[in-house]
């Protein structure tokens, strides 16, 4: 029984790393720009498909391919924000972003169906199925690399947000949009670039998702988005570290409950979310409401 | 009678007769278009008119965007299914179970609301999503809900040619009911309280609005009606399963419908539902190949949100106003002194008169 | 003009537009031609398939199967001398759309006959539309009990499932285990199942029987069809070290995820059988790798090597049209093709497209032939003649062979134990 619990905790941490990579982009976008990016799920899938094409057609390794997919999706993110989200204004702006991103998700899904068809695809590489034997547990390389990447990314984004001028502009915009403009920050540029960073990071999440999921097709985005939303709210909107903590926390709970009853594991996931939110509405690492809600 | 008053009378008259025309059209639709294909579109359209309007009564008026309406929709469907099975209800008697669906919807809304309405905006949205998934999972896991197979609806021994008509009229009654309710709420103080909460909840509270009660009341009403229409939907499709009764796309669709038509207006969700639901069903048939249907749908939504951001009715209203008042001053003309009633001519108490404000 | 008046006017205009749209939708069809008044008009067959949404991969395979059949039937002169035309619509794996589709097919396109959609989830709402319009509903992918016990079917008896009823499909496997000497049987078994009415019954029945044989159950859990990750459940199974795994899966990704986790855990079950997934041809082998596919077993009613002449013909045509090898063919293709064959035999036997006659004919206890073997319907429409065979991937994942029942004609020796994972 004890081994089962340890195994479950290890699994929770490792899978949590994968989810963190998918959620980090979402929390950045939601927290900084107040945008409910329903398209996050399909963007993860898009990242997976891009890695798929690179590895199948050009034989480029999954991790090396990130050097191409991340900038590509960064540009896509900037374009989407500039073309479709920037024009939105008014009191209902947040809800409108929900609809715009839903529309984008439909379009991207349709395009993926056209290009790749409905069959499930996988990301395969020689190291995906090998693992290292540590303390009686087998830790698959792909998950270790993924978790490592998640930590690296979290640190990198943290540095970006707290040690660079751009990061300061982003945080200023997040705290008070109008005040930021008043002191001369070009908030539209900040918004576009932040959205781009959020989507670019999602390319990494997409690759990891593709490599660990057993198979994905254009329809796979729907399952993801609700879990990702839950994770980022739990971690605190805009908190990069929070996304990692919340991912690991949630996946560990799911993993532990899996021992007893997998069918209830998901319900516990959501019930835990509701519980935490009632006690602490801003999530684990979210700051107190900095904007009038 | 002044020109203005006469115009106002005419406008009111026009309004009421227009509504009468719409009502007559709705009632006569199955008569004019008796084909099951037409009435099928009608049934689905009206189901979504009801659902979108019910959503709007809470979310549109109060500003709390809920993505958990499917909780009520599915619960209503399951309530009818479980009752029909356990109480051995067959054939047309099954329609008598519909009030039960509404009651179940309301009963769930109360604890759901008490939990969820304590938080604001973004957190609220996610809590509604979380509760939605909890319900879907319960539907999968419990045996009394039929597990992953779901529940069937009793067989109705009706003729194929007119089978849809009863559903059409029931759905129409539900839709009419929620539309009238929404209109009444809008005009009543209750509606004013909701709008005050939407504009600035803290200030509303400060002004004495019992925010939690108001929100909960609207939420419960919304839940009851959505549960009711969920029951109707179940009887029409004759099967409910966890993924179809609790379908995440359902919530996104009704939000989109309300937005398309105009959030917070009474007619907005109606219009949005009438356009989107039959539109989506039809476009899928028309563009069945090549995945164009999805891309087209997404593109249409995108264009609508970008160019008609506040919804068709408010934006359309603005366009028409701009067209008709072009060239004229924005201020209404001052009334000649003789037409102003003597009571307001007291110079001490009157503020700006006529058009000076 | 006042604010309210302008809004009202907008409402009026848009309502008129909406009404016009609704009217247009109602009168427009899906492209079905209005039949000329000659006696050689084509036979119109309508169906709804999931070309997008949850079931899109299977929907595509089904469409190929239906189309192959239509092509073959027309090539040999049509049915009763009339050409067959298939009208298909996408249902996005959505039950509301499937009801709308069949209503449109029946009342606007005036199809003569209907074929079923994919999945039990969609078959039930669709079959009741067909039932009240008096249409026979022949399908190959709706096998859950709820399809047959649906109230509309219990009244109209119009549903006919040509495929293998699922409950007994792992019985040949259990019988084979029972036939082994006691020291060669697995000592322990794990039963992970997806929460689906298609996947669970066969595994649960197998569990009962194997327990009675003395095989110890070390894991038996149902997991949700949509889960954050299969890894925790798969790792738990791996930790038990069970010698046999009976996986209640519904698709390839589930199987692939379990296999991946097993490989990562260096866990090699000696016997591994899945409810679905390995029967999907290339979709399966490309997901898990040909070498790893070797030894994987799956129950089914058809395989590409089946020596039935019509089946071979279908296989050759499929390969000619879509490329690949026979082992790449998804079993859904054969299911769809069988639906067409049953319909053809019913139409020919009753001399026309009268659905009431077709329904009586199919319920008359007659045995029909399909690429999946013999078909005979019981009173609820289940195929009581279907024989469950078990198949295994062999020859380094290049051959999908029938292995059980060992005595059945066409069975080749089974690979036991399953080889270790390739990496």
């Amino acid at each position: 029984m004890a081994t089962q619990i340890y195994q479950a905790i290890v699994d929770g941490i490792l899978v949590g790393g994968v989810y963190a990579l998918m959620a980090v982009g979402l929390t950045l976008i939601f927290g900084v720009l107040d945008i409910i990016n329903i398209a996050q799920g399909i963007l993860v899938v898009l990242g997976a498909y891009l890695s798929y094409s690179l590895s199948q057609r050009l034989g480029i390794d999954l991790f090396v391919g990130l050097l191409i997919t991340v900038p590509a999706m960064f540009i896509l993110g900037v374009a989407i924000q500039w073309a479709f989200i920037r024009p939105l204004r008014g009191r209902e702006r947040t809800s409108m972003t929900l609809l715009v991103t839903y529309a984008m998700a439909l379009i991207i899904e349709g395009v993926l169906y056209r290009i790749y068809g409905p069959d499930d695809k996988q990301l395969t590489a020689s190291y995906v199925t090998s693992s290292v034997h540590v303390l009686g547990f087998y830790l698959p390389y792909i998950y270790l690399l993924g978790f490592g990447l998640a930590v690296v990314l979290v640190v990198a984004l943290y540095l970006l947000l707290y040690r660079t001028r751009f990061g300061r502009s982003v945080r200023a915009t997040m705290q008070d949009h109008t005040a930021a403009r008043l002191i001369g920050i070009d908030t539209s540029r900040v918004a576009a670039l932040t959205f781009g960073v959020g989507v670019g990071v999602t390319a990494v999440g997409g690759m990891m998702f593709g490599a660990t999921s057993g198979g994905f097709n254009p329809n796979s985005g729907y399952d993801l988005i609700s879990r990702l939303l839950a994770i980022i709210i739990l971690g605190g909107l805009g908190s990069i570290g929070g996304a990692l903590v919340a991912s690991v926390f949630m996946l560990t709970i799911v993993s532990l409950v899996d021992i007893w009853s997998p069918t209830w594991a998901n319900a516990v996931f959501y019930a835990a979310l509701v519980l935490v939110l009632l006690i602490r509405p801003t999530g684990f690492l979210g700051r107190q409401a900095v904007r009038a809600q | 009678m002044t020109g203005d008053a006469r115009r106002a009378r005419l406008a009111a008259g026009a309004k009421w007769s227009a509504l009468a025309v719409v009502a007559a059209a709705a009632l006569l639709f199955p008569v004019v278009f008796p084909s099951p294909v037409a009435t099928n579109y009608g049934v689905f359209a009206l189901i979504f008119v009801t659902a979108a309007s019910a959503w709007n009564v809470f979310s549109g008026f109060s500003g709390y965007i809920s993505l958990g309406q499917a909780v009520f929709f599915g619960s209503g469907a399951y309530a009818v299914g479980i009752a029909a099975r356990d109480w051995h209800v067959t054939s047309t008697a099954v329609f008598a179970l519909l009030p039960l669906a509404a009651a179940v919807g309301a009963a769930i809304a109360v604890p759901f609301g008490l939990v969820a309405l304590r938080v604001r905006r973004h957190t609220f949205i996610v809590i509604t999503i979380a509760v939605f998934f909890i319900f879907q999972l319960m539907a999968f896991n419990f045996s009394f809900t039929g597990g992953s197979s779901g529940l069937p609806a009793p067989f109705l021994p009706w003729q194929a040619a007119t089978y849809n008509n009863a559903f059409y009229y029931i759905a129409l009654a539900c839709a009419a009911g929620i539309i009238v309710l929404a209109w009444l709420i809008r005009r009543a103080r209750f509606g004013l309280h909701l709008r005050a909460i939407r504009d600035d909840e803290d200030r509303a509270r400060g002004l004495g609005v019992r925010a939690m009660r108001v929100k909960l009341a609207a939420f419960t009403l919304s839940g009851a009606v959505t549960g009711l229409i969920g029951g109707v939907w179940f009887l029409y499709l004759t099967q409910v399963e966890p993924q179809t009764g609790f379908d995440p796309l359902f919530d996104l669709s009704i939000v989109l419908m309300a937005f398309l038509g105009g959030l917070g207006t009474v007619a907005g969700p109606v219009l949005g539902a009438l356009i989107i639901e039959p539109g989506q069903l039809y476009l899928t048939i028309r563009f069945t190949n090549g995945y164009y249907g999805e891309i087209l749908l997404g593109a249409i939504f995108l264009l609508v949100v970008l160019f008609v951001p506040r919804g068709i009715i408010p934006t359309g209203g603005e366009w028409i106003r701009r067209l008709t008042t072009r060239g004229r001053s924005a201020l209404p003309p001052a009334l000649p002194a003789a037409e102003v009633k003597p009571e307001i001519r007291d110079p001490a108490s009157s503020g700006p008169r006529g058009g000076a404000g | 003009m006042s604010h309210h008046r302008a809004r009202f006017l907008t409402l009026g205009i848009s309502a008129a537009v909406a009404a016009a749209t609704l009217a247009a939708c109602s009168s427009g069809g899906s492209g079905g031609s209005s039949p000329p008044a000659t006696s050689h008009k084509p036979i119109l067959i309508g169906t709804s398939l999931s070309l997008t949404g949850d079931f899109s991969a299977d929907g595509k395979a089904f469409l190929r199967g239906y189309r192959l059949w239509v092509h073959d039937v027309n090539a040999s002169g049509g049915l009763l001398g009339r050409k067959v035309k298939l009208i298909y619509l996408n249902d996005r794996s959505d039950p509301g759309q499937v009801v709308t589709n069949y209503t449109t097919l029946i009342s606007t396109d005036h199809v003569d006959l209907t074929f079923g959609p994919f999945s039990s989830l969609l078959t039930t709402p669709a079959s009741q539309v067909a039932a009240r319009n008096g249409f026979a509903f022949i399908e190959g992918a709706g096998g859950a009990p709820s399809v047959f016990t649906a109230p509309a079917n219990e009244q109209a008896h119009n549903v006919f499932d040509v495929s293998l009823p699922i409950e007994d499909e792992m019985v040949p496997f259990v019988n084979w285990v029972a036939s082994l000497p006691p020291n060669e049987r697995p000592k322990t078994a794990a039963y992970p199942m997806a929460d689906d009415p298609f996947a669970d019954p066969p595994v649960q029945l197998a569990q009962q029987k194997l327990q009675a044989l003395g095989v110890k159950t070390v894991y038996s859990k149902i997991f949700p069809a949509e889960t954050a990750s299969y890894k925790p459940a798969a790792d738990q199974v791996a930790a038990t070290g069970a010698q046999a795994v009976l996986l209640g899966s519904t698709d390839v990704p589930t199987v692939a995820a379990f296999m991946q986790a097993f490989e990562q855990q260096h866990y090699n079950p000696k016997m591994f059988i899945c409810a679905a997934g390995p029967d999907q041809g290339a979709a399966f082998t490309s997901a898990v790798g040909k070498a790893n596919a070797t030894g994987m077993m799956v129950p089914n009613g058809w395989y590409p090597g089946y020596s039935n002449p019509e089946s071979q013909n279908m296989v050759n045509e499929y390969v000619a049209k879509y490329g690949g090898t026979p082992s790449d063919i998804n079993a859904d293709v054969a299911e769809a093709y069988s639906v067409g064959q049953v319909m053809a035999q019913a139409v020919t036997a009753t001399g026309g497209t009268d659905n009431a006659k077709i329904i009586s004919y199919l319920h008359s206890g007659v045995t029909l032939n399909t690429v999946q073997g013999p078909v005979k319907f019981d009173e609820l429409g289940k195929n009581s003649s279907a024989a469950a065979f078990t198949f295994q991937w062999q020859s380094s994942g290049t051959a999908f062979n029938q292995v059980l029942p060992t005595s059945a004609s066409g069975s080749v020796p089974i690979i036991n134990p399953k080889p270790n994972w390739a990496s």
Side-chain angles (χ1 to χ4, degrees):
Chain A
M1 186 61 183
T3 4
Q4 278 180 311
I5 295 187
Y6 293 141
Q7 176 75 60
I9 295 179
V10 167
D11 283 341
I13 295 175
L14 293 178
V15 181
V18 176
Y19 269 83
L21 284 170
M22 295 191 276
V24 151
L26 186 61
T27 197
L28 195 61
I29 292 173
F30 202 176
V32 175
L33 303 172
D34 227 2
I35 293 174
I36 307 177
N37 182 19
I38 296 274
Q40 184 71 6
I42 197 71
L43 286 171
V44 168
V45 173
L46 174 64
Y49 270 111
L50 288 176
S51 296
Y52 173 80
S53 283
L54 286 179
S55 90
Q56 291 292 104
R57 306 284 165 80
L58 302 175
I60 300 180
D61 171 72
L62 298 176
F63 285 90
V64 170
L66 289 178
L67 293 172
I68 301 177
T69 60
V70 170
M73 288 191 59
F74 170 80
I75 295 175
L76 176 69
V78 172
I80 291 178
Q81 201 280 344
W82 189 84
F84 301 119
I85 300 187
R86 199 178 45 125
L88 302 177
R89 306 219 187 291
R91 175 176 53 201
E92 299 302 336
R93 193 181 150 275
T94 310
S95 313
M96 292 202 279
T97 62
L98 186 117
L99 295 175
V100 167
T101 50
Y102 178 46
M104 291 279 4
L106 283 178
I107 295 177
I108 296 177
E109 191 186 327
V111 168
L112 286 176
Y113 265 121
R114 279 207 66 73
I115 300 179
Y116 294 100
D119 295 326
D120 295 302
K121 305 270 188 265
Q122 293 78 22
L123 291 182
T124 48
S126 56
Y127 46 81
V128 170
T129 49
S130 23
S131 46
V132 59
H133 199 135
V134 168
L135 294 176
F137 294 110
Y138 283 105
L139 303 177
Y141 284 124
I142 187 76
Y143 283 102
L144 289 173
L145 286 169
F147 191 82
L149 207 52
V151 171
V152 163
L153 217 56
V154 164
V155 169
L157 282 173
Y158 186 82
L159 289 175
L160 181 72
L161 279 181
Y162 284 91
R163 293 273 185 273
T164 65
R165 234 172 109 212
F166 172 70
R168 271 208 297 278
S169 322
V170 170
R171 280 183 292 131
T173 312
M174 173 159 68
Q175 287 194 2
D176 192 327
H177 196 95
T178 319
R181 283 172 68 197
L182 280 174
I183 62 170
I185 294 179
D186 182 350
T187 50
S188 347
R189 207 173 69 105
V190 166
L193 290 175
T194 310
F195 200 90
V197 169
V199 176
V201 166
T202 306
V204 183
M207 187 278 281
M208 281 304 303
F209 168 73
T212 56
S213 69
F216 56 91
N217 75 354
N219 197 53
S220 308
Y222 291 113
D223 302 342
L224 284 175
I225 187 59
S226 46
R227 292 197 197 105
L228 295 177
L229 276 175
I231 286 174
I232 64 165
I233 289 270
L234 190 64
L237 291 172
S239 167
I240 315 289
L244 181 58
V245 168
S247 302
V248 169
F249 175 76
M250 286 307 233
L251 267 300
T252 308
I253 289 193
V254 169
S255 199
L256 284 169
V257 179
D258 259 359
I259 300 178
W260 159 62
S261 167
T263 37
W264 285 110
N266 278 343
V268 171
F269 179 105
Y270 291 107
L273 171 68
V274 173
L275 207 60
V276 171
L277 283 181
L278 289 178
I279 301 173
R280 194 178 153 77
T282 51
F284 286 149
L285 298 180
R287 61 208 79 227
Q288 291 301 314
V290 289
R291 265 178 316 250
Q293 294 221 28
Chain B
M1 195 186 300
T2 67
D4 266 350
R6 205 180 300 134
R7 270 195 291 274
R9 271 278 207 90
L10 273 175
K15 216 176 184 179
W16 285 110
S17 32
L19 273 171
V21 169
V22 168
L27 281 167
L28 292 175
F29 181 79
V31 175
V32 177
F33 296 100
S35 153
V37 177
T39 46
N40 178 65
Y41 281 119
V43 171
F44 280 117
L46 288 170
I47 288 178
F48 277 87
V49 164
T50 311
S53 298
W55 179 86
N56 185 52
V57 160
F58 172 67
S59 291
F61 288 172
S62 75
Y64 277 68
I65 303 296
S66 160
L67 286 181
Q69 292 299 91
V71 166
F72 308 119
F73 191 78
S75 301
Y78 270 97
V80 174
I82 293 170
R85 178 192 64 195
D86 291 345
W87 299 341
H88 305 289
V89 182
T90 54
S91 190
T92 21
V94 84
F95 286 99
L97 293 173
L98 286 176
L100 178 67
V104 167
I108 292 178
V110 174
F112 185 0
L114 284 172
V115 161
L117 291 168
R118 292 172 43 186
V119 298
R120 307 272 185 104
R121 278 192 43 185
H122 307 141
T123 322
F124 176 77
I125 297 182
V126 177
I127 287 196
T128 57
I129 296 176
V131 173
F132 160 80
F133 275 103
I134 292 176
F135 269 77
Q136 191 196 59
L137 289 162
M138 289 200 294
F140 264 116
N141 296 347
F142 286 132
S143 54
F144 74 88
T145 55
S148 51
S149 302
L151 298 170
F155 178 71
L156 293 166
W158 298 343
Q159 294 280 36
T162 51
Y163 185 87
N164 296 345
N165 294 353
F167 288 100
Y168 178 87
Y169 286 114
I170 293 176
L172 182 61
C174 297
I178 186 64
I179 293 174
V180 167
L181 271 173
W183 183 74
L184 287 173
I185 290 178
R186 195 136 203 270
R187 288 162 55 103
R189 205 183 314 173
F190 184 48
L192 198 58
H193 287 175
L194 281 169
R195 248 177 302 160
I197 291 176
R198 181 179 71 184
D199 289 340
D200 190 328
E201 184 161 350
D202 293 313
R203 177 144 51 113
R205 277 183 205 251
L207 288 172
V209 172
R210 316 279 285 274
M212 184 47 137
R213 283 201 199 173
V214 169
K215 287 187 287 187
L216 194 59
F219 195 63
T220 308
L221 176 63
S222 168
V225 174
T226 310
L228 174 67
I229 204 68
V232 175
W233 171 87
F234 165 64
L235 292 175
Y236 186 60
L237 280 191
T238 71
Q239 180 84 6
V240 65
E241 280 125 354
Q243 316 92 302
T244 56
F246 299 99
D247 178 5
L249 292 181
F250 172 80
D251 288 309
L252 283 172
S253 305
I254 54 181
V255 171
L256 189 67
M257 290 169 193
F259 262 90
L260 175 66
L263 191 69
T265 65
V266 171
V270 176
L271 194 61
L274 284 179
I275 294 178
I276 291 183
E277 179 62 12
Q280 183 177 50
L281 290 173
Y282 179 70
L283 281 178
T284 307
I285 291 181
R286 202 83 195 72
F287 295 97
T288 236
N289 244 333
Y291 308 114
Y292 284 121
E294 300 229 339
I295 300 182
L296 198 62
L297 212 56
I300 293 177
F301 289 168
L302 207 56
L303 289 174
V304 162
V305 179
L306 288 178
F307 293 112
V308 195
R310 285 172 39 228
I312 293 184
I313 291 184
T315 311
E318 263 178 37
W319 287 348
I320 293 183
R321 255 189 91 194
R322 247 184 274 154
L323 279 174
T324 53
T325 57
R326 212 185 341 198
R328 277 194 253 144
S329 111
L331 307 170
L335 294 170
E339 299 227 12
V340 174
K341 290 202 176 135
E343 301 93 79
I344 8 178
R345 254 212 288 177
D346 178 23
S349 61
S350 70
R353 225 180 31 204
Chain C
M1 181 184 292
S2 87
H3 184 61
H4 289 292
R5 233 169 283 164
R7 279 196 174 192
F8 195 73
L9 194 50
T10 314
L11 170 60
I13 296 175
S14 357
V17 169
T21 317
L22 199 56
C25 291
S26 310
S27 51
S30 43
S33 52
S34 51
T38 71
S39 61
H40 283 298
K41 55 183 181 168
I43 294 182
L44 298 175
I45 303 185
T47 184
S48 168
L49 286 172
S50 309
L51 301 177
T52 56
D54 278 343
F55 311 128
S56 45
D58 299 288
K60 175 173 143 190
F62 244 75
L63 183 60
R64 287 186 173 180
Y66 282 153
R67 280 173 141 169
L68 271 178
W69 174 77
V70 170
H71 172 264
D72 285 352
V73 143
N74 286 335
S76 59
L79 281 181
L80 302 173
R82 295 161 66 182
K83 281 233 170 304
V84 171
K85 182 171 166 195
L86 180 74
I87 303 180
Y88 65 92
L89 298 176
N90 180 18
D91 55 40
R92 295 182 287 119
S93 313
D94 173 64
Q97 186 75 49
V98 93
V99 164
T100 306
N101 285 357
Y102 279 100
T103 309
T104 307
L105 289 166
I106 292 174
S107 304
T108 302
D109 297 295
H110 301 293
V111 296
D112 300 297
L113 304 165
T114 52
F115 284 166
F118 183 83
S119 138
S120 309
L121 204 115
L122 299 175
T123 305
T124 316
S127 67
Q128 49 110 11
V129 174
R132 63 171 169 270
N133 285 285
F135 276 72
F137 208 61
I138 307 183
E139 48 98 358
S146 56
V147 171
F148 305 107
T149 57
N153 186 40
E154 285 182 341
Q155 290 288 329
H157 297 279
N158 71 322
V159 175
F160 300 97
D161 182 6
V162 306
S163 297
L164 179 66
I166 46 156
E167 301 86 41
D168 298 331
E169 59 179 24
M170 288 200 176
V171 170
F173 174 77
V174 174
N175 291 344
W176 170 68
V177 170
S179 74
L180 297 171
N183 60 334
E184 281 181 42
R185 293 179 201 156
K187 312 240 173 342
T188 50
Y191 307 91
M193 297 169 267
D195 197 354
D196 184 285
F198 170 83
D200 302 342
V203 175
Q204 287 164 331
L205 183 61
Q207 177 179 352
Q208 261 179 16
K209 291 180 178 271
L210 286 173
Q211 272 179 190
L213 272 179
V215 178
K216 183 160 167 242
T217 301
V218 290
Y219 182 95
S220 174
K221 300 239 188 325
I222 298 184
F223 52 85
E226 280 167 25
T227 181
S229 171
Y230 292 110
K231 186 172 180 346
D235 285 351
Q236 298 287 336
V237 172
T240 64
Q243 292 182 326
V245 175
L246 288 80
L247 177 62
S249 52
T250 54
D251 58 19
V252 170
T254 311
V255 181
F258 268 83
M259 285 172 69
Q260 191 188 72
F262 288 173
E263 290 170 67
Q264 289 165 346
Q265 296 294 320
H266 294 251
Y267 161 63
N268 290 290
K270 299 281 151 264
M271 298 176 188
F272 197 161
I273 183 169
C274 309
D279 58 334
Q280 304 213 344
F284 176 66
T285 49
S286 63
V288 304
K290 288 190 153 60
N292 280 328
T294 312
M296 295 294 294
M297 291 190 275
V298 64
N300 212 348
W302 177 84
Y303 70 115
Y306 186 37
S307 53
N308 173 307
E310 286 173 315
S311 175
Q312 285 304 308
N313 184 40
M314 179 191 79
V315 167
N316 293 334
E317 277 181 19
Y318 184 97
V319 171
K321 189 159 181 193
Y322 299 111
T325 69
S327 294
D328 293 341
I329 302 179
N330 188 328
D332 291 340
V333 174
E335 287 175 359
Y337 198 91
S338 304
V339 169
Q341 289 181 299
V342 166
M343 181 63 89
Q345 288 167 74
V347 167
T348 314
T350 58
T353 57
D354 182 327
N355 275 286
K357 287 196 190 148
I358 291 174
I359 293 177
S360 325
Y361 174 73
L362 292 173
H363 274 306
S364 65
V366 62
T367 301
L368 304 171
N369 298 313
T370 69
V371 294
Q372 295 191 121
V375 168
K376 180 171 148 177
F377 298 109
D378 71 8
E379 69 150 14
L380 281 181
K382 273 197 232 182
N383 179 3
S384 52
S385 264
F389 296 99
T390 306
F391 299 87
Q392 188 178 47
W393 284 93
Q394 303 183 333
S395 309
S396 304
T398 55
F400 187 60
N401 295 331
Q402 175 183 317
V403 291
L404 299 173
T406 44
S407 54
S409 97
S411 289
V412 304
I414 193 170
I415 297 178
N416 176 37
K418 192 186 84 61
N420 286 352
W421 303 118
S423 52

